[in-house]
Each structure stands twice: as C-alpha cells, then as structure tokens.
C-alpha cells in the first residue's frame, strides 16, 4: 500500500516537474528534502518521501500508555518511579504517557466547585492536585512528579522538585492553580476520565495501553512495560528496543 502510494506520487511528480532536472540541483544535501522542488531536482524524491513517511508514521502511531493512580498509594509510587518513568526515558520516541492522578478518590458537587475525598486523606488530595496543576503549567511535569514520588515526603518535596527540574517554573502560579478554580476544574476532568474507564478500575495503579485495559496487558505492563511497548510499536523499532539485550549481555573478560 505504502509502496503503491509512493509509486503514484513519484510518477505524478515526475510528470509535473519533469525528470531530467538533475543537473539543476543547487542545494546542499542537508536541504535536499526541504521542498518537493529540491527533492525532484536533486533526484532524491523517493528517498525524501520515504523518510517523511516514516517520520509521520512514527508520530501518529506512538503507544499510548495511561496511568490511573493516586499520589500516596505505595504501589503507584513504585510503578511510576521504577517502571513507567525509566521506560519513558528510554522510549519516549515511541510512547506517550498520560498520568491521571485521582484513582480511588470521590467527588461531590458543591455549588460551583467540587469537593474531593481521597483514599489516603487530605495530603493525597493535595498531592494529586499539585501534580495535576504541574501537568497543566510545566513542560517538565513528568520529571517533577517523578522527583516528588521518589522522595520520602511527596508533598514537602514538591516545591524543591519543581524548582530543581524546571527553573522557569513559578511556584506561586502552581499554588494559585492548586487552591483556585483552575485546579478544581482540572481535577474534575481527572474524575470524569477515571469514571469513564471501561472496564471500571478495581485498583490502582491501573494501566491502559492504547486506551485498553485487560488483565493480560496490566500484567505485562507491571512485569515489563519496556518489552510491551517495544512489541506493540508498529513502526521501525528504535535502537533502545533492540539494543537493551546486547547491553545486558556485555561482559568484561578476565584476560
Ligand atoms: C518533508 O517534510 C518536511 C517537513 O514536514 C516538508 O517541509 C517537506 O516538504 C517534505 N518533503 C517532501 C519531499 O515531501
Ligand atoms: C490547562 O488548563 C486549561 C483550563 O484550565 C486548559 O484550557 C488548557 O488547555 C490546559 N493546558 C494544558 C497544557 O494542559
């Protein structure tokens, strides 16, 4: 299918631009694919289309990993810090992570606002809220959340982790989100997302892969998310997927 599309495009473009224009290639190799015109003139149209194809393919087909969790649940902290974060560091080219801090919480409508109750009490609601606001306001949210969740005190470490991982971050704006309507509304979205799970979650950490949860996927995610993501990814495998094994099998010989 892909080959056919490429063939048709190539024929059409060659007809349109003429195919004897090789001599007029006047741009350096790094720019050959920068436009259709230069690709045709430099005789590399097929290669450019293919590499663009691969790139857009990769962008659309990332494995979607979602984690439904709560900020103070020990199993969640362990999964987040020891499995999902290191996996994402190695495989972020081929996987997206969606963190939904809410878990076994409950919400009650109270006028314009929602009131939240969390399994591990008030501090957990605060932790969930800080993490939710971080995801809205910092491009380093995952790093900050990782830092918080691996610290002895998730809440107390929040500001230090924030400032450490994202020097641009204004802690004042995080706290005004946490205490204000914005955080309240964002948490409501977490509640809606969690309540919409199908099947409904029975525990946390609860994982979905490409929106799907089964016992088998959950087990694989818990045991080796890395292998699962590599095997589910349909595009060309990144080096990390193949390289890990040989990495673990490298020896220092006694000569
Ligand atoms: C390849 O992709 C770049 C960026 O998306 C685009 O500007 C360029 O025209 C594409 N080249 C070809 C030959 O399709
Ligand atoms: C942040 O939250 C606002 C709503 O309060 C929303 O409109 C916006 O898209 C969010 N931005 C990100 C990056 O999530």
């Amino acid at each position: 299918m892909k080959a056919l599309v490429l063939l048709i495009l190539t024929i059409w473009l060659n007809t349109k631009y003429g195919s004897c224009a090789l001599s007029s290639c006047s741009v350096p190799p790094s720019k050959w694919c920068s436009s259709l015109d230069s690709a045709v003139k430099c005789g590399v149209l097929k290669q450019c289309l293919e590499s663009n194809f691969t790139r857009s393919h990769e962008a659309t087909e990332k494995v979607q990993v979602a984690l439904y969790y709560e900020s103070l649940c020990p199993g969640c902290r362990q999964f987040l810090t020891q499995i999902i974060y290191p996996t994402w560091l190695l495989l972020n080219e081929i996987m997206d992570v969606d963190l939904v801090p809410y878990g076994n919480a409950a919400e009650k409508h109270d006028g314009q606002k929602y009131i939240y109750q969390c399994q591990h009490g008030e501090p957990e609601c605060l932790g969930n809220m800080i993490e939710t606001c971080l995801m809205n306001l910092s491009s380093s949210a995952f790093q900050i959340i990782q830092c918080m969740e691996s610290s002895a005190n998730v809440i107390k470490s929040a500001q230090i982790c924030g400032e450490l991982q994202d020097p641009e971050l204004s802690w004042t704006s995080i706290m005004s989100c946490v205490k204000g309507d914005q955080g309240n509304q964002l948490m409501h979205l977490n509640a809606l997302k969690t309540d919409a799970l199908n099947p409904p979650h029975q525990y946390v950490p609860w994982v979905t892969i490409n929106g799907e949860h089964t016992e088998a996927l959950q087990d694989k995610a818990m045991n080796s998310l890395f292998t699962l993501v590599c095997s589910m990814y349909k595009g060309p495998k990144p080096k990390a997927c193949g390289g890990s094994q040989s990495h673990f099998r490298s020896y220092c010989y006694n000569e």
Side-chain angles (χ1 to χ4, degrees):
M1 182 59 200
K2 180 176 138 183
L4 184 64
V5 172
L6 281 176
L7 181 68
I8 292 169
L9 266 171
T10 312
I11 292 170
W12 176 74
L13 286 162
N14 277 343
T15 325
K16 187 161 181 272
Y17 286 89
S19 51
C20 52
L22 256 180
S23 55
S24 55
C25 174
S26 55
V27 293
S30 63
K31 298 264 167 64
W32 282 354
C33 293
S34 64
S35 74
L36 281 177
D37 195 39
S38 61
V40 171
K41 283 184 176 155
C42 300
V44 289
L45 179 61
K46 188 159 177 285
Q47 288 83 348
C48 291
L49 286 172
E50 260 168 1
S51 80
N52 269 12
F53 238 102
T54 315
R55 234 176 289 145
S56 60
H57 186 64
E58 273 170 13
T60 52
E61 301 260 331
K62 281 188 178 188
V63 179
Q64 305 294 316
V65 179
L67 174 65
Y68 294 80
Y69 73 107
E70 43 196 42
S71 61
L72 299 187
C73 139
C76 299
R77 296 179 62 185
Q78 198 175 3
F79 183 71
L80 193 148
T81 59
Q82 292 175 25
I83 298 186
I84 205 164
Y85 183 74
T87 304
W88 175 79
L89 279 186
L90 290 168
L91 298 182
N92 59 70
E93 270 174 79
I94 62 163
M95 79 185 271
D96 284 329
V97 173
D98 184 21
L99 299 176
V100 187
Y102 185 77
N104 301 322
E107 68 171 5
K108 237 180 15 203
H109 211 175
D110 179 40
Q112 296 294 310
K113 292 194 126 206
Y114 292 89
I115 296 173
Y116 299 100
Q117 266 193 336
C118 299
Q119 187 166 30
H120 302 90
E122 272 305 306
E124 180 162 80
C125 284
L126 179 57
N128 290 349
M129 190 67 92
I130 292 173
E131 293 177 2
T132 299
C133 287
L134 282 168
M135 285 189 267
N136 190 260
L137 295 169
S138 171
S139 54
S140 307
F142 200 4
Q143 288 87 335
I144 303 171
I145 292 170
Q146 147 78 13
C147 171
M148 289 169 63
E149 294 291 345
S150 54
S151 302
N153 190 319
V154 175
I155 310 296
K156 276 196 183 148
S157 66
Q159 184 174 355
I160 297 168
C161 287
E163 288 166 354
L164 203 69
Q165 304 288 331
D166 182 359
E168 316 256 280
L169 184 70
S170 142
W171 193 250
T172 318
S173 65
I174 296 294
M175 286 323 283
S176 69
C177 167
V178 165
K179 298 200 173 115
D181 291 343
Q182 194 191 1
N184 199 264
Q185 286 300 316
L186 290 170
M187 188 56 67
H188 177 55
L189 297 180
N190 290 350
L192 291 179
K193 252 174 150 172
T194 306
D195 291 342
L197 280 169
N198 183 19
H201 77 285
Q202 294 157 10
Y203 48 79
V204 285
W206 186 265
V207 179
T208 67
I209 307 287
N210 293 334
E212 189 189 5
H213 176 97
T214 63
E215 282 291 308
L217 282 173
Q218 174 85 22
D219 278 352
K220 284 183 190 164
M222 299 302 278
N223 291 329
S224 179
L225 184 64
F226 185 91
T227 309
L228 179 64
V229 170
C230 281
S231 73
M232 292 201 60
Y233 183 63
K234 304 239 166 55
K237 308 277 184 222
K239 274 212 187 86
C241 284
S244 67
Q245 239 130 1
S246 56
H247 171 72
F248 290 124
R249 260 193 252 129
S250 86
Y251 301 117
C252 294
Y253 287 97
N254 172 14
E255 293 176 24

